[in-house]
Amino acid sequence: MKKRILGFWEIWNMSFGFLGIQFGFALQGGFMSRIFQTLGAGKDEIPLLWIAAPLTGLLVQPIIGYMSDRTWHSRFGRRRPYFLIGAILSSIALFFVPYSPALWVAAGFLWILDASINVSMEPFRALVADKLHESQRTYGFVVQTLIIGIGTWVASNLPWLVSKMGVSDSADLGVVPDSVKVAFAIGAFVFLLSILYTVFTTTEYPPEDMEAFEREKKEKNSFVSDIINNVGNMPITMKKLGVIQFFSWFAFFTMWSLANPALTEHVFETPAPVEANFDMSMPADKEAYDIANTAFQKSSNLVGSAMGVYGLSSMAFALLLVLYTSKRRINRKYVHMFSLFLGGAGFLFMNYASPESLKYCFLLIGLAWGSILSMPYAMLSSSVDPKRMGMFMGIFNMFIVIPQIIAALGGINFVSGLLGEQAINAMTVAGLSLVIAGLCNLLITNKSAISYQSEN
């Protein structure tokens, strides 16, 4: 099918739903560990509580990719029905998660939230490949990254902003502060609204041959065998990209799960108070606990605000790439490699950061994040069968979730423990992991993946 060249606003409209998706991911990534700690989790328990995120991605994304490849609705098309279903479920989960009365409830909500976000997210990746001419693929994924950067920065700053507007950071033992509850409610509203905007402003190409499409659905309806067959026949470039993704996402899972305990302890020197260390029946101990807890909650706001900088710098980086790739080709391999090196340096510099300089660490990390969200997908989309784009995008997610599962099951605690008991060692491991991911880009040799090849 001959695809027309789309204008900036058409690509913007089809990508705008990612603003809501990233509100969900940024609130989850920036504040779920804080919620877990508030409900009594120790810092060594946090990675395991996070296992819901990668496990649901591993299960949900290939299924949704497979189903969306085989879906066509006369009004809502192929991918948009999944955007809408995921948005409704995610918004409900976002609203209620900070009201969790116990740790197991919060962990359960994380399962629901992450599964719902994945229902919306996977088809968005496939939509870019569906709608854009190959010469615009890099441009399209970079526009998505620009919107993701905006969402990350705004959502990460929401609890801080809400606190500045007078909403309390203080709360009773085991209760999430109102500033976090209000921030998650705003996130739920933005998530649903932004997805609805894309659903009603974007159209999709129908299957080239509708009769053949319907016939194939009836003849081939074995999900498991199709998945296994496609995994076994992955293009070699996809496998090499998977190695890069493994180390990249190991690093970012480490940040999402352990940045709050590591930075509140190492940089702000206000670790979460441990209830067992206080006799809550004694007024003096209760007052001391309340003071320590309020200090922890306020420094957690500042950690979240600093983390928002990585969204801001990824947005600026994506904007530069948007302007450049709209007219010129880029070498995706080297852009990605050096971006990951800079992100690794940002994590390593956290060992020496002050509260004032922490934002510069996240600025460097944002350059890596902006590249992770665009370059691997642009390289992948030029290396796989367009008819199976949703399936391969879902399978590619395995290289994202497997490292996170390994980290959650004790991998990050084990590796960081080799460096010592300090929480900040987890950020050192994240930095080294990104440097390794950068070096792995040297494995990519497919010219079509590295840069768009003209048909002339």
Side-chain angles (χ1 to χ4, degrees), residues 27-28 30-32 34-36 38 94-99 155 158-160 162-163 167-171 175-188 297-298 300-301:
L27 288 169
Q28 173 185 300
F31 302 102
M32 277 307 301
R34 173 183 179 177
I35 291 173
F36 289 151
T38 299
L94 269 175
F95 182 85
F96 285 106
V97 68
Y99 291 91
L158 273 178
W160 171 82
V162 168
S163 176
V167 181
S168 177
D169 286 317
S170 299
V175 177
V176 177
D178 286 345
S179 58
V180 177
K181 293 176 180 176
V182 172
F184 272 66
I186 294 171
Q297 298 293 349
K298 287 188 177 296
S300 294
N301 282 348

Side-chain angles (χ1 to χ4, degrees), residues 115-431:
S116 303
I117 293 175
N118 275 292
V119 171
S120 286
M121 186 182 72
E122 194 284 331
F124 262 102
R125 296 293 188 195
L127 183 67
V128 169
D130 289 345
K131 287 200 49 99
L132 294 184
H133 186 273
E134 189 170 342
S135 64
Q136 286 192 298
R137 296 265 176 87
T138 300
Y139 185 47
F141 284 116
V142 166
V143 171
Q144 277 193 354
T145 303
L146 173 62
I147 293 172
I148 287 170
I150 296 170
T152 300
W153 179 63
V154 176
S156 297
N157 279 284
L158 273 178
W160 171 82
L161 179 61
V162 168
S163 176
K164 287 293 183 183
M165 295 172 65
V167 181
S168 177
D169 286 317
S170 299
D172 293 334
L173 176 66
V175 177
V176 177
D178 286 345
S179 58
V180 177
K181 293 176 180 176
V182 172
F184 272 66
I186 294 171
F189 176 75
V190 173
F191 197 123
L192 184 59
L193 199 65
S194 62
I195 293 288
L196 288 173
Y197 179 86
T198 288
V199 167
F200 291 111
T201 61
T202 302
T203 58
E204 297 182 65
Y205 290 117
E208 292 186 56
D209 186 334
M210 186 63 73
E211 290 185 5
F213 175 77
E214 294 292 344
R215 188 166 56 249
E216 184 179 358
K217 283 204 305 182
K218 293 176 181 177
E219 292 174 355
K220 289 183 65 181
N221 196 26
S222 179
F223 168 72
V224 175
S225 62
D226 282 356
I227 288 284
I228 293 172
N229 181 59
N230 282 299
V231 169
N233 293 290
M234 276 189 288
I236 187 65
T237 298
M238 184 173 172
K239 295 176 182 177
K240 293 177 179 179
L241 286 168
V243 177
I244 300 168
Q245 292 289 80
F246 180 94
F247 290 104
S248 300
W249 287 87
F250 188 95
F252 273 87
F253 180 85
T254 300
M255 181 188 78
W256 293 324
S257 60
L258 291 175
N260 197 70
L263 299 176
T264 52
E265 177 183 306
H266 182 79
V267 177
F268 291 90
E269 299 180 352
T270 56
V274 179
E275 182 186 355
N277 295 337
F278 299 85
D279 183 353
M280 302 305 284
S281 65
M282 301 289 291
D285 270 22
K286 186 177 187 308
E287 182 181 1
Y289 175 88
D290 289 341
I291 291 171
N293 185 52
T294 299
F296 165 71
Q297 298 293 349
K298 287 188 177 296
S299 63
S300 294
N301 282 348
L302 294 174
V303 169
S305 183
M307 286 181 72
V309 172
Y310 90 86
L312 194 62
S313 61
S314 70
M315 178 180 68
F317 182 55
L319 182 59
L320 289 174
L321 288 176
V322 165
L323 296 173
Y324 191 87
T325 58
S326 64
K327 302 293 183 183
R328 303 173 184 86
R329 303 175 196 174
I330 61 170
N331 187 304
R332 299 161 180 165
K333 168 181 171 178
Y334 288 120
V335 167
H336 196 41
M337 182 170 71
F338 288 108
S339 298
L340 293 176
F341 286 161
L342 291 171
F347 279 118
L348 295 173
F349 288 157
M350 287 179 176
N351 284 276
Y352 315 103
S354 65
E356 294 74 26
S357 64
L358 184 60
K359 58 181 175 288
Y360 299 111
C361 297
F362 282 109
L363 186 150
L364 294 174
I365 291 167
L367 301 179
W369 183 237
S371 188
I372 287 169
L373 294 176
S374 54
M375 293 302 115
Y377 296 99
M379 288 190 272
L380 176 67
S381 67
S382 298
S383 309
V384 300
D385 180 358
K387 293 181 180 179
R388 295 183 289 170
M389 190 65 68
M391 169 76 78
F392 276 121
M393 286 290 180
I395 292 172
F396 193 54
N397 188 59
M398 290 192 309
F399 299 116
I400 294 174
V401 299
I402 289 173
Q404 295 182 64
I405 292 171
I406 292 171
L409 289 175
I412 184 57
N413 287 338
F414 173 76
V415 178
S416 62
L418 297 176
L419 303 178
E421 295 182 0
Q422 296 84 0
I424 196 63
N425 290 335
M427 300 300 101
T428 301
V429 172

